Amino acid sequence: MEDHHHLENNLKRLKMPGLARALDLRLREARENDLGYLEFLSLLIDDEMDSRENSMLAKRLKAAGFGVQKTFEQFDFRFNDEALPAKTLRDLATCSFVEQHRNLVLGGPPGIGKTHGVKAIGHQACRAGYQVLFRSTQRLLSDLCADSIERAQRELARAIKVDLLILDDFAFRSLNQKEAELLYVLADARLGTASTVLTSNRPPEDWYAIFPDPVVGGAILDRMVSAAIKIITTKGRSYRKEVMGKAKGGETVASTAPRVQ
Ligand code: ADP
Ligand code: MG
């Protein structure tokens, strides 16, 4: 450790923790390898930038509210390749649909990896620098209808402005008029300006029935679903039952062939 207190204090005041952390290592490296001044400085600036990017990513991930985080690194693409094609998921993971402000609908039976898949897409979007908000539809609606008007308005403003809004378990239950109107405000504000992802255990044609007023329901689905990228499957295999059940010693399904649930 060298005596560079003055420099370290200044780095603290300048809020450059990545550079401060890397300093001793880079100094040693520079001496051992005879680095040029410019090379040395450039390495230190890279260290600072890496550190800033990491802390901004951590902030975006926290703000997204994933709860348990899921990533594609933990995802077995072969398991449900027929229902959730690996190629489509990998395309979505590039987040070009977010850049194009397109929506995504992922529908299929429980346990096949819908939530995992959309959380992993959200994770990729955070890595790409997008602001993401992940909510179960139930949680979002209860936040939007919170008794505290301030809180409800804050949540609505946030849900409107994020680059990627992920509503998990859409069309889980019937909505009341207020909930439907709030969803309309959200869908209308985001249309063509930001991406929304919906997952559901029900096929989109069943979604009309959850709205109290077919006109509002039609307007919402028109905005959220009509032009969306759709992956709708009836035959995914339940990872929860087949793999996680097995790990726990529960009932397992021997066949690995896709099956209709
Ligand atoms: P769904 O939302 O379709 O009901 P989940 O995404 O919650 O299903 O998946 C159920 C469980 O199985 C989760 O713990 C998830 O991480 C895991 N899982 C699902 N599909 C895969 C997969 N292809 N690879 C690894 N884990 C998976
Ligand atoms: Mg789910």
mmCIF file of all heavy atoms in Angstrom, residues 20 33 52 65 73 81 94 97 105 121 128 132 140 143-144 146 150-151 172 196 201 211 218 220 223 243:
data_model
loop_
_atom_site.group_PDB
_atom_site.id
_atom_site.type_symbol
_atom_site.label_atom_id
_atom_site.label_comp_id
_atom_site.label_asym_id
_atom_site.label_seq_id
_atom_site.Cartn_x
_atom_site.Cartn_y
_atom_site.Cartn_z
ATOM 1 N N ALA A 20 -10.463 4.244 -7.359
ATOM 2 C CA ALA A 20 -9.762 4.184 -6.073
ATOM 3 C C ALA A 20 -9.448 2.728 -5.713
ATOM 4 O O ALA A 20 -8.343 2.423 -5.266
ATOM 5 C CB ALA A 20 -10.618 4.833 -4.983
ATOM 6 N N ASN A 33 4.963 -4.119 -15.854
ATOM 7 C CA ASN A 33 4.892 -4.283 -17.318
ATOM 8 C C ASN A 33 5.323 -3.046 -18.089
ATOM 9 O O ASN A 33 5.096 -2.966 -19.292
ATOM 10 C CB ASN A 33 3.466 -4.663 -17.737
ATOM 11 C CG ASN A 33 3.007 -5.925 -17.036
ATOM 12 O OD1 ASN A 33 3.768 -6.875 -16.898
ATOM 13 N ND2 ASN A 33 1.787 -5.919 -16.537
ATOM 14 N N ARG A 52 -19.000 1.924 -12.336
ATOM 15 C CA ARG A 52 -20.238 2.713 -12.444
ATOM 16 C C ARG A 52 -21.329 1.925 -13.138
ATOM 17 O O ARG A 52 -22.495 1.961 -12.744
ATOM 18 C CB ARG A 52 -19.994 4.002 -13.231
ATOM 19 C CG ARG A 52 -19.241 4.991 -12.408
ATOM 20 C CD ARG A 52 -19.117 6.310 -13.102
ATOM 21 N NE ARG A 52 -18.165 7.120 -12.351
ATOM 22 C CZ ARG A 52 -17.992 8.401 -12.538
ATOM 23 N NH1 ARG A 52 -18.671 9.030 -13.468
ATOM 24 N NH2 ARG A 52 -17.129 9.060 -11.825
ATOM 25 N N GLY A 65 -37.856 -4.721 -9.395
ATOM 26 C CA GLY A 65 -38.715 -5.457 -8.466
ATOM 27 C C GLY A 65 -38.982 -6.897 -8.874
ATOM 28 O O GLY A 65 -40.111 -7.373 -8.779
ATOM 29 N N GLU A 73 -29.018 -17.524 -17.986
ATOM 30 C CA GLU A 73 -27.911 -18.404 -17.601
ATOM 31 C C GLU A 73 -28.429 -19.606 -16.813
ATOM 32 O O GLU A 73 -27.844 -20.683 -16.857
ATOM 33 C CB GLU A 73 -26.871 -17.650 -16.750
ATOM 34 C CG GLU A 73 -25.943 -16.731 -17.536
ATOM 35 C CD GLU A 73 -26.573 -15.384 -17.865
ATOM 36 O OE1 GLU A 73 -27.706 -15.104 -17.390
ATOM 37 O OE2 GLU A 73 -25.944 -14.600 -18.607
ATOM 38 N N ASP A 81 -38.274 -26.644 -25.765
ATOM 39 C CA ASP A 81 -37.945 -25.990 -27.037
ATOM 40 C C ASP A 81 -39.137 -25.921 -27.987
ATOM 41 O O ASP A 81 -39.252 -24.994 -28.777
ATOM 42 C CB ASP A 81 -36.761 -26.697 -27.707
ATOM 43 C CG ASP A 81 -36.212 -25.892 -28.865
ATOM 44 O OD1 ASP A 81 -36.198 -24.644 -28.738
ATOM 45 O OD2 ASP A 81 -35.830 -26.472 -29.884
ATOM 46 N N THR A 94 -32.273 -10.264 -27.017
ATOM 47 C CA THR A 94 -31.484 -9.144 -27.554
ATOM 48 C C THR A 94 -32.160 -7.797 -27.269
ATOM 49 O O THR A 94 -31.559 -6.740 -27.425
ATOM 50 C CB THR A 94 -31.301 -9.228 -29.091
ATOM 51 O OG1 THR A 94 -32.598 -9.044 -29.696
ATOM 52 C CG2 THR A 94 -30.709 -10.559 -29.522
ATOM 53 N N PHE A 97 -37.017 -5.916 -29.501
ATOM 54 C CA PHE A 97 -38.455 -5.594 -29.412
ATOM 55 C C PHE A 97 -38.698 -4.423 -28.450
ATOM 56 O O PHE A 97 -39.656 -3.669 -28.619
ATOM 57 C CB PHE A 97 -39.281 -6.834 -29.033
ATOM 58 C CG PHE A 97 -39.294 -7.177 -27.564
ATOM 59 C CD1 PHE A 97 -40.375 -6.835 -26.766
ATOM 60 C CD2 PHE A 97 -38.232 -7.854 -26.986
ATOM 61 C CE1 PHE A 97 -40.398 -7.147 -25.410
ATOM 62 C CE2 PHE A 97 -38.245 -8.169 -25.627
ATOM 63 C CZ PHE A 97 -39.327 -7.815 -24.845
ATOM 64 N N VAL A 105 -46.660 -11.171 -25.778
ATOM 65 C CA VAL A 105 -47.623 -11.953 -25.003
ATOM 66 C C VAL A 105 -47.105 -13.381 -24.933
ATOM 67 O O VAL A 105 -46.783 -13.979 -25.962
ATOM 68 C CB VAL A 105 -49.016 -11.926 -25.678
ATOM 69 C CG1 VAL A 105 -49.953 -12.917 -24.998
ATOM 70 C CG2 VAL A 105 -49.598 -10.524 -25.639
ATOM 71 N N ILE A 121 -35.793 -12.064 -19.645
ATOM 72 C CA ILE A 121 -35.809 -11.004 -20.663
ATOM 73 C C ILE A 121 -35.659 -9.640 -19.978
ATOM 74 O O ILE A 121 -34.893 -8.776 -20.420
ATOM 75 C CB ILE A 121 -37.115 -11.073 -21.499
ATOM 76 C CG1 ILE A 121 -37.099 -12.318 -22.385
ATOM 77 C CG2 ILE A 121 -37.304 -9.807 -22.329
ATOM 78 C CD1 ILE A 121 -38.434 -12.637 -23.047
ATOM 79 N N ALA A 128 -29.065 -4.089 -20.746
ATOM 80 C CA ALA A 128 -28.944 -3.230 -21.930
ATOM 81 C C ALA A 128 -29.203 -1.763 -21.595
ATOM 82 O O ALA A 128 -29.166 -0.913 -22.485
ATOM 83 C CB ALA A 128 -29.910 -3.708 -23.010
ATOM 84 N N VAL A 132 -36.852 -1.088 -16.210
ATOM 85 C CA VAL A 132 -37.806 -2.205 -16.269
ATOM 86 C C VAL A 132 -38.660 -2.198 -14.999
ATOM 87 O O VAL A 132 -38.185 -1.832 -13.928
ATOM 88 C CB VAL A 132 -37.022 -3.539 -16.362
ATOM 89 C CG1 VAL A 132 -37.959 -4.741 -16.358
ATOM 90 C CG2 VAL A 132 -36.143 -3.556 -17.622
ATOM 91 N N LEU A 140 -49.817 -5.004 -9.344
ATOM 92 C CA LEU A 140 -49.876 -3.689 -9.992
ATOM 93 C C LEU A 140 -51.246 -3.053 -9.771
ATOM 94 O O LEU A 140 -51.355 -1.887 -9.402
ATOM 95 C CB LEU A 140 -49.586 -3.798 -11.489
ATOM 96 C CG LEU A 140 -49.629 -2.418 -12.150
ATOM 97 C CD1 LEU A 140 -48.229 -1.810 -12.209
ATOM 98 C CD2 LEU A 140 -50.242 -2.432 -13.518
ATOM 99 N N ASP A 143 -51.671 -1.825 -6.314
ATOM 100 C CA ASP A 143 -50.911 -0.584 -6.103
ATOM 101 C C ASP A 143 -51.592 0.614 -6.782
ATOM 102 O O ASP A 143 -51.614 1.720 -6.236
ATOM 103 C CB ASP A 143 -49.484 -0.718 -6.650
ATOM 104 C CG ASP A 143 -48.624 -1.596 -5.757
ATOM 105 O OD1 ASP A 143 -49.070 -1.945 -4.638
ATOM 106 O OD2 ASP A 143 -47.501 -1.955 -6.177
ATOM 107 N N LEU A 144 -52.125 0.383 -7.979
ATOM 108 C CA LEU A 144 -52.775 1.488 -8.702
ATOM 109 C C LEU A 144 -54.059 1.937 -7.996
ATOM 110 O O LEU A 144 -54.500 3.068 -8.162
ATOM 111 C CB LEU A 144 -53.115 1.081 -10.143
ATOM 112 C CG LEU A 144 -51.947 0.790 -11.090
ATOM 113 C CD1 LEU A 144 -52.459 0.481 -12.484
ATOM 114 C CD2 LEU A 144 -50.981 1.975 -11.137
ATOM 115 N N ALA A 146 -54.376 1.864 -4.686
ATOM 116 C CA ALA A 146 -54.031 2.055 -3.267
ATOM 117 C C ALA A 146 -54.837 3.199 -2.655
ATOM 118 O O ALA A 146 -55.211 4.142 -3.345
ATOM 119 C CB ALA A 146 -52.535 2.351 -3.145
ATOM 120 N N GLU A 150 -51.464 9.449 -3.478
ATOM 121 C CA GLU A 150 -50.089 9.773 -3.865
ATOM 122 C C GLU A 150 -49.345 8.518 -4.336
ATOM 123 O O GLU A 150 -48.681 8.514 -5.364
ATOM 124 C CB GLU A 150 -49.376 10.358 -2.647
ATOM 125 C CG GLU A 150 -48.268 11.316 -2.980
ATOM 126 C CD GLU A 150 -47.712 11.899 -1.699
ATOM 127 O OE1 GLU A 150 -48.403 12.733 -1.073
ATOM 128 O OE2 GLU A 150 -46.620 11.475 -1.316
ATOM 129 N N ARG A 151 -49.513 7.447 -3.549
ATOM 130 C CA ARG A 151 -48.828 6.198 -3.880
ATOM 131 C C ARG A 151 -49.366 5.625 -5.202
ATOM 132 O O ARG A 151 -48.604 5.183 -6.063
ATOM 133 C CB ARG A 151 -49.039 5.192 -2.742
ATOM 134 C CG ARG A 151 -48.216 3.977 -2.938
ATOM 135 C CD ARG A 151 -48.103 3.126 -1.684
ATOM 136 N NE ARG A 151 -48.024 1.749 -2.147
ATOM 137 C CZ ARG A 151 -48.804 0.783 -1.736
ATOM 138 N NH1 ARG A 151 -49.711 0.998 -0.821
ATOM 139 N NH2 ARG A 151 -48.677 -0.420 -2.236
ATOM 140 N N PHE A 172 -55.938 -13.142 -14.688
ATOM 141 C CA PHE A 172 -56.028 -14.155 -13.644
ATOM 142 C C PHE A 172 -57.428 -14.181 -13.048
ATOM 143 O O PHE A 172 -57.936 -15.213 -12.656
ATOM 144 C CB PHE A 172 -54.992 -13.778 -12.569
ATOM 145 C CG PHE A 172 -54.712 -14.856 -11.576
ATOM 146 C CD1 PHE A 172 -54.153 -16.058 -11.980
ATOM 147 C CD2 PHE A 172 -55.000 -14.666 -10.227
ATOM 148 C CE1 PHE A 172 -53.874 -17.064 -11.056
ATOM 149 C CE2 PHE A 172 -54.726 -15.659 -9.293
ATOM 150 C CZ PHE A 172 -54.167 -16.848 -9.714
ATOM 151 N N THR A 196 -44.621 -3.562 -23.462
ATOM 152 C CA THR A 196 -45.282 -4.234 -22.350
ATOM 153 C C THR A 196 -45.281 -5.731 -22.625
ATOM 154 O O THR A 196 -45.524 -6.153 -23.755
ATOM 155 C CB THR A 196 -46.732 -3.729 -22.190
ATOM 156 O OG1 THR A 196 -46.706 -2.305 -22.086
ATOM 157 C CG2 THR A 196 -47.392 -4.317 -20.955
ATOM 158 N N ASN A 201 -51.841 -17.793 -18.012
ATOM 159 C CA ASN A 201 -52.145 -19.221 -18.144
ATOM 160 C C ASN A 201 -53.331 -19.436 -19.068
ATOM 161 O O ASN A 201 -53.663 -20.571 -19.385
ATOM 162 C CB ASN A 201 -52.483 -19.820 -16.767
ATOM 163 C CG ASN A 201 -51.264 -19.834 -15.850
ATOM 164 O OD1 ASN A 201 -50.130 -19.742 -16.320
ATOM 165 N ND2 ASN A 201 -51.493 -19.940 -14.559
ATOM 166 N N PHE A 211 -63.213 -8.358 -18.445
ATOM 167 C CA PHE A 211 -63.519 -6.926 -18.330
ATOM 168 C C PHE A 211 -65.011 -6.695 -18.120
ATOM 169 O O PHE A 211 -65.831 -7.335 -18.775
ATOM 170 C CB PHE A 211 -63.054 -6.191 -19.599
ATOM 171 C CG PHE A 211 -61.564 -6.253 -19.782
ATOM 172 C CD1 PHE A 211 -61.002 -7.143 -20.691
ATOM 173 C CD2 PHE A 211 -60.725 -5.449 -19.033
ATOM 174 C CE1 PHE A 211 -59.630 -7.219 -20.860
ATOM 175 C CE2 PHE A 211 -59.345 -5.525 -19.191
ATOM 176 C CZ PHE A 211 -58.796 -6.401 -20.104
ATOM 177 N N GLY A 218 -62.095 -4.231 -25.007
ATOM 178 C CA GLY A 218 -61.632 -4.299 -26.392
ATOM 179 C C GLY A 218 -60.547 -3.265 -26.659
ATOM 180 O O GLY A 218 -59.541 -3.545 -27.320
ATOM 181 N N ILE A 220 -58.468 -1.939 -24.505
ATOM 182 C CA ILE A 220 -57.216 -2.320 -23.824
ATOM 183 C C ILE A 220 -56.493 -3.405 -24.620
ATOM 184 O O ILE A 220 -55.296 -3.302 -24.908
ATOM 185 C CB ILE A 220 -57.508 -2.834 -22.388
ATOM 186 C CG1 ILE A 220 -58.017 -1.696 -21.515
ATOM 187 C CG2 ILE A 220 -56.258 -3.483 -21.773
ATOM 188 C CD1 ILE A 220 -58.601 -2.139 -20.185
ATOM 189 N N ARG A 223 -54.877 -2.321 -27.779
ATOM 190 C CA ARG A 223 -53.600 -1.615 -27.582
ATOM 191 C C ARG A 223 -52.481 -2.527 -27.110
ATOM 192 O O ARG A 223 -51.327 -2.337 -27.457
ATOM 193 C CB ARG A 223 -53.798 -0.469 -26.573
ATOM 194 C CG ARG A 223 -54.485 0.731 -27.200
ATOM 195 C CD ARG A 223 -55.085 1.643 -26.140
ATOM 196 N NE ARG A 223 -55.669 2.827 -26.748
ATOM 197 C CZ ARG A 223 -56.791 2.841 -27.463
ATOM 198 N NH1 ARG A 223 -57.451 1.716 -27.696
ATOM 199 N NH2 ARG A 223 -57.245 3.987 -27.965
ATOM 200 N N VAL A 243 -39.151 -31.502 -13.247
ATOM 201 C CA VAL A 243 -37.768 -31.407 -12.762
ATOM 202 C C VAL A 243 -37.728 -31.076 -11.275
ATOM 203 O O VAL A 243 -37.084 -31.767 -10.489
ATOM 204 C CB VAL A 243 -36.976 -30.352 -13.566
ATOM 205 C CG1 VAL A 243 -35.557 -30.246 -13.047
ATOM 206 C CG2 VAL A 243 -36.994 -30.714 -15.029
#
